[in-house]
Amino acid sequence: MTEEEMVRAFITKNFLFSDDGRLGDEDSLMDKGVLDSTGVLEFVGFLESTYGLKVLDEELVPDNLDSIRSAAAFVRRKLQGRATVSGA
């Protein structure tokens, strides 16, 4: 399963009640009302426990975690040791 598939499965199960028909890979999870501040913390916990990585406070920015695609890319960068604060 790809990182996008893992992230989508988690978001769908925990925040969309198994109905992901309205969420595209680049849709903003915050703007769409999928995640609130508590949801972000749960999402970060999922990423840390699933991938064995640590999300730093300064990495909690929209460029890294605001869509399925950006979160999957962030995970790949972290796993390769290339994550940056801005996600660039």
Side-chain angles (χ1 to χ4, degrees):
M1 191 178 267
T2 68
E3 286 80 18
E4 281 87 354
E5 292 168 334
M6 292 286 288
V7 168
R8 177 176 289 282
F10 175 79
I11 294 292
T12 300
K13 178 181 176 189
N14 292 284
F15 299 104
L16 298 175
F17 308 104
S18 299
D19 178 18
D20 74 343
R22 64 184 175 108
L23 187 63
D25 284 349
E26 296 193 30
D27 289 342
S28 168
L29 299 172
M30 297 293 280
D31 289 347
K32 287 276 192 174
V34 176
L35 294 182
D36 58 13
S37 58
T38 302
V40 169
L41 296 177
E42 189 174 338
F43 185 42
V44 167
F46 160 76
L47 295 175
E48 290 180 336
S49 65
T50 300
Y51 294 101
L53 52 83
K54 176 70 178 156
V55 179
L56 305 175
D57 289 344
E58 58 267 25
E59 294 172 325
L60 294 173
V61 296
D63 283 349
N64 288 336
L65 301 172
D66 195 36
S67 71
I68 289 171
R69 185 159 293 156
S70 66
F74 174 71
V75 166
R76 285 190 291 271
R77 288 192 308 274
K78 286 290 280 188
L79 294 175
Q80 294 172 357
R82 294 187 297 128
T84 63
V85 172
S86 68

